Amino acid sequence: MDPPTGPSSRPYDYDLLVIGGGSGGLAVAKEAAWLRKKVLILDLAAPSPRGTKRELGGASLNMDSIRKFLQQASLLGTAVQDSQKYGWRMKEPVCHCWSELVEAVQQQVKTRSVELKRELKRCGVFHLKARGEVVAAHTVEVTEENGGKRRLTAETIVIATGDEPQYLGIPGDRDYCLTSEDLLSLPHPPGRTLVVGGSAEGLECAGFLFGLGLPVTIMLQPDLLPGFDQKMAQKIENHMFVTGVEFLYHCSLTKVEQTEVRSEDVLSGASATTPEQGSRGRLRVTFISKEGQTKQEDFDTVLLAVGRKASTRDIGLECVGVKCSQDTGRILVNELDETSVAHIYAIGSVQHGRPSTTGLSVHAGTLLARRLYRGDSILCDYISVPTVVLTPLEYAACGLCEEKANLTFGEASVEVYHSHYWPLEWELPARNKNTCYVKVICHIPDNERVVGLHVMGPNAGDIVQGFVVAMKCGLTKGQLDATVGIHPGSAQVLSSLTQTQRISEALMMRGNC
């Protein structure tokens, strides 16, 4: 819904003005509008360096959908292989069509953006495709697509501009490298791909491409799944390595350049392995090994997944005194999601030192609007936050990782129950029996309260989601043991854990395992 243009009789043009159309910004805007407040949301994100346009919904909302679509594409390829053990026979060889996948996903993202605009209109939220820059305490300068400028005032301002992929600042990174948001802008399959970075989005992209039959190499720069449970991260790495993904360890990328164009390097949209007429160049990467040696390798695509930075530049925060972290550029907020300026709030991945997921942003945005306009006092819980990594073997968690639990409570006060499990549907295809894994982290002095729950296996996110409510209610190991499991089903393993990590490690030390 377009905003009104005439003069306002109110002290401010709007009760609430939201800069940024990400998941958190949309949530606070819609909830405030339902509470009969006059709300404007500004959303005009610059395209990526490769020209990929960003739709309404922000990187988190749109990329989450894309991540799930790409994971499903990969899993369907595995399911086709497994289907033979279940008696299915294909009349023709099965191949993957990259161009059809790209077209379908891009169309779905555009459709979702249109639906979001309709939803804003139904809620009564005014939406303007424009940039916003705070120029005074309650004043925002609005720059529209055509370059036109005007100033609007609001009683409350919410910053929800999200974040964007980070680059390395080396020769050729912006010219020749992709990020996860550019991946589906390719008209052809990526071919042999180097994924730089061990972040969640890096592992997800690597797993998806490998699942389509493409050769993939991961350069861990600097760490594997930073911020996640490191023992779980190692298990994900082991699974990907065993299935065929290559890894480069302790290497530093220094340059990316395009070599001569060769028509035979182009891969068909109809198959991941079929050459076709056409031309595009290969990329030569230069990197330094752990030993200090300079090496070079050629790839068809280089995808950067070295982290994300907050989109807080050039929106006027310093003009009104909003404090940001000097290291990350993310905004410092208190428990009310309020910045250093009383009437300016921040939601989502622009916040410093807090986890960032789409679900968390939506929840925090909704609670913020209710505190502002309904008198609620409920604060957002930034500790028991469920999250999922959509690698081919999915990983989901809620609460503390093992390292954080040991640091918080002391190793002697923490008990870790764990087990491998074998999903029933994996038995006929005879997939690896010791791949899927769960662990429950308990605080011993607090009646073995569950402070962390981790699952690696099919549909891990859906499994963990069901235990999030129980953890919010103070779930203990005794209550977990008293729960009746559903058979046949993978989640039942969580209600029958008896082996502790201490015992397992002791047995391994004695050579009894």
Side-chain angles (χ1 to χ4, degrees):
M1 186 163 62
D2 294 332
T5 55
S8 173
S9 59
R10 302 155 63 102
Y12 301 101
D13 297 319
Y14 295 93
D15 296 306
L16 176 66
L17 191 152
V18 181
I19 301 177
S23 53
L26 292 172
V28 70
K30 290 188 289 185
E31 188 67 18
W34 280 119
L35 295 172
R36 301 185 178 279
K37 298 301 174 181
K38 188 179 180 183
V39 182
L40 172 66
I41 187 166
L42 303 175
D43 177 57
L44 181 59
S48 74
R50 295 297 296 261
T52 303
K53 292 183 179 180
R54 297 175 171 122
E55 299 285 347
L56 179 65
S60 60
L61 195 61
N62 289 321
M63 280 307 300
D64 279 357
S65 301
I66 292 173
R67 289 164 57 215
K68 190 63 179 178
F69 292 145
L70 300 189
Q71 183 206 37
Q72 180 65 9
S74 172
L75 293 178
L76 286 172
T78 305
V80 169
Q81 298 173 20
D82 287 353
S83 67
Q84 298 180 28
K85 291 293 184 178
Y86 284 89
W88 289 93
R89 293 292 179 266
M90 306 298 172
K91 292 183 178 179
E92 298 178 2
V94 177
C95 63
H96 183 266
C97 181
W98 174 267
S99 59
E100 289 185 10
L101 172 65
V102 168
E103 183 180 356
V105 172
Q106 288 180 341
Q107 184 57 49
Q108 185 60 32
V109 170
K110 291 177 182 176
T111 300
R112 187 176 183 81
S113 180
V114 171
E115 290 174 352
L116 284 173
K117 291 175 184 176
R118 289 175 181 164
E119 189 176 353
L120 291 178
K121 188 173 182 179
R122 285 196 301 270
C123 295
V125 175
F126 296 104
H127 171 248
L128 199 58
K129 199 165 186 181
R131 286 189 65 255
E133 181 180 350
V134 183
V135 294
H138 293 271
T139 305
V140 175
E141 183 173 81
V142 177
T143 305
E144 300 186 44
E145 282 186 291
N146 59 10
K149 296 179 182 288
R150 55 174 155 155
R151 294 194 172 189
L152 298 172
T153 59
E155 182 177 12
T156 302
I157 297 172
V158 171
I159 308 298
T161 46
D163 55 16
E164 58 194 62
Q166 206 161 352
Y167 286 82
L168 292 170
I170 61 172
D173 62 345
R174 290 181 177 269
D175 296 322
Y176 304 119
C177 298
L178 302 178
T179 64
S180 58
E181 63 184 12
D182 299 315
L183 187 56
L184 291 184
S185 66
L186 290 176
H188 47 69
R192 187 183 183 220
T193 301
L194 173 68
V195 176
V196 182
S199 65
E201 64 180 330
L203 295 184
E204 288 174 348
C205 289
F208 152 66
L209 294 175
F210 185 78
L212 298 188
L214 299 169
V216 177
T217 301
I218 299 176
M219 180 182 289
L220 295 179
Q221 183 173 321
D223 301 312
L224 181 71
L225 284 179
F228 287 85
D229 189 287
Q230 286 305 290
K231 290 182 180 178
M232 299 299 293
Q234 289 169 10
K235 288 184 178 296
I236 294 172
E237 176 193 3
N238 291 340
H239 173 72
M240 296 183 74
F241 178 78
V242 168
T243 55
V245 176
E246 296 183 3
F247 284 84
L248 290 173
Y249 298 97
H250 309 296
C251 295
S252 179
L253 188 66
T254 58
K255 184 169 66 174
V256 180
E257 55 191 333
Q258 190 173 37
T259 61
E260 72 279 1
V261 174
R262 304 189 314 177
S263 61
E264 63 266 29
D265 288 333
V266 183
L267 301 178
S268 168
S271 171
T273 55
T274 307
E276 72 167 1
Q277 298 294 325
S279 63
R280 64 182 174 95
R282 298 199 78 184
L283 300 176
R284 178 161 297 156
V285 302
T286 304
F287 58 94
I288 300 175
S289 68
K290 181 182 179 181
E291 295 76 21
Q293 296 179 326
T294 298
K295 299 183 178 182
Q296 290 185 328
E297 280 196 50
D298 288 352
F299 294 88
D300 297 301
T301 300
V302 177
L303 191 148
L304 298 181
V306 291
R308 303 182 70 86
K309 62 180 181 179
S311 303
T312 53
R313 292 174 302 163
D314 304 324
I315 59 174
L317 298 182
E318 66 286 345
C319 175
V320 291
V322 173
K323 294 181 180 179
C324 298
S325 165
Q326 292 184 348
D327 297 330
T328 65
R330 299 183 190 273
I331 301 171
L332 303 176
V333 295
N334 60 19
E335 70 278 3
L336 298 172
D337 300 315
E338 188 178 38
T339 71
S340 52
V341 178
H343 62 280
I344 300 180
Y345 296 80
I347 286 293
S349 55
V350 292
Q351 294 183 340
H352 174 70
R354 285 179 170 173
S356 174
T357 70
T358 299
L360 179 62
S361 297
V362 171
H363 185 61
T366 303
L367 291 180
L368 173 58
R370 291 173 181 173
R371 288 197 301 272
L372 290 172
Y373 304 120
R374 203 172 73 175
D376 287 8
S377 59
I378 300 175
L379 301 177
C380 184
D381 176 10
Y382 286 98
I383 298 176
S384 298
V385 179
T387 187
V388 64
V389 181
L390 298 176
T391 38
L393 190 62
E394 198 169 295
Y395 165 51
C398 182
L400 302 180
C401 64
E402 189 176 335
E403 296 84 5
K404 186 69 177 290
N406 288 335
L407 191 65
T408 304
F409 303 115
E411 195 169 343
S413 297
V414 173
E415 193 72 271
V416 179
Y417 294 87
H418 70 145
S419 176
H420 287 95
Y421 69 97
W422 199 20
L424 189 64
E425 61 270 26
W426 282 26
E427 292 188 17
L428 289 186
R431 291 212 226 165
N432 194 324
K433 189 180 277 191
N434 294 314
T435 299
C436 300
Y437 178 80
V438 300
K439 75 173 177 181
V440 174
I441 304 169
C442 300
H443 184 210
I444 299 172
D446 192 10
N447 198 26
E448 285 201 313
R449 180 171 59 90
V450 177
V451 295
L453 191 145
H454 302 257
V455 178
M456 189 174 77
N459 306 304
D462 294 329
I463 292 173
V464 168
Q465 181 69 75
F467 289 92
V468 174
V469 176
M471 290 181 66
K472 292 278 287 182
C473 296
L475 176 68
T476 66
K477 179 61 168 59
Q479 291 171 332
L480 202 55
D481 293 340
T483 301
V484 177
I486 296 176
H487 183 81
S490 296
Q492 65 178 324
V493 66
L494 288 163
S495 62
S496 58
L497 294 173
T498 57
Q499 186 87 328
T500 68
Q501 202 164 258
R502 285 186 221 274
I503 294 175
S504 298
E505 291 172 353
L507 290 173
M508 290 179 67
M509 291 290 291
R510 296 172 191 165
N512 293 334
C513 208

